[in-house]
Amino acid sequence: MNNLEKNKLELLYSVTSNINEKIDLCEKYRSCLIEMLKKEPQNVSLLIQVGVLSWEPLHESELAIEYLEKSIYLEPTNIDARFWLAKCYYHDFCAYDKATNLLEEALNLNSTRADCLSLFAEIIEFTSRDTARAISYLEKAIIFE
């Protein structure tokens, strides 16, 4: 598959409202990205895209983790991969410590990432009920967003 087919799938996805069609298009899109990865196996952007699609909406969490961890291995400073991996660990595995560690690493790389701050606040509130601390992270997220 090539970029033209990828773009066609993106367009089809944007115009359909049928959930079954959207899922089918996501599977086709992921397959397209995997084909592209065969030509560029170290393309971190493609690895992250495949990882994210594998996690949501396709609900293949173990596969998502593989792709996202590989992207971090190839690009240790990648914040996007850490964010999505943290979401996967938090939402699908209740692995709060892993998610927290990934977000702390991401925020050490860039303390202004609103998405990381917001997810971190959610985890803090859920795990410790420390509302004041969670709100402080949400306030920072709002400022930086």
Side-chain angles (χ1 to χ4, degrees), residues 1-94:
M1 297 216 173
N2 57 38
N3 278 329
L4 183 60
E5 291 175 68
K6 179 178 170 272
N7 293 340
K8 179 183 171 191
L9 290 169
E10 288 171 352
L11 178 63
L12 289 171
Y13 184 88
S14 70
V15 298
T16 187
S17 59
N18 180 295
I19 190 67
N20 292 325
E21 288 178 19
K22 283 192 175 283
I23 296 295
D24 182 54
L25 287 167
C26 283
E27 289 173 346
K28 289 178 181 174
Y29 188 72
R30 183 179 64 172
S31 294
C32 175
L33 295 174
I34 289 171
E35 285 299 314
M36 294 171 74
L37 268 173
K38 289 178 182 175
K39 295 175 187 160
E40 300 177 69
Q42 296 192 353
N43 184 320
V44 171
S45 177
L46 288 174
L47 288 164
I48 293 170
Q49 288 178 60
V50 172
V52 171
L53 282 171
S54 296
W55 176 64
E56 183 68 36
L58 301 177
H59 304 287
E60 295 179 16
S61 302
E62 291 83 8
L63 189 59
I65 289 170
E66 275 183 50
Y67 282 103
L68 294 168
E69 285 182 344
K70 182 175 180 181
S71 64
I72 293 170
Y73 173 78
L74 292 171
E75 191 177 300
T77 59
N78 192 293
I79 296 168
D80 291 331
R82 281 182 171 73
F83 170 76
W84 288 107
L85 188 56
K87 282 188 75 74
C88 184
Y89 277 129
Y90 171 59
H91 290 290
D92 288 8
F93 297 97
C94 300

Side-chain angles (χ1 to χ4, degrees), residues 89-104:
Y89 277 129
Y90 171 59
H91 290 290
D92 288 8
F93 297 97
C94 300
Y96 308 123
D97 290 340
K98 283 185 179 183
T100 297
N101 289 340
L102 286 161
L103 291 170
E104 286 173 342

Side-chain angles (χ1 to χ4, degrees), residues 111-125:
S111 63
T112 65
R113 283 288 297 258
D115 52 355
C116 295
L117 290 163
S118 177
L119 181 59
F120 199 44
E122 182 179 340
I123 294 170
I124 289 168
E125 176 59 27

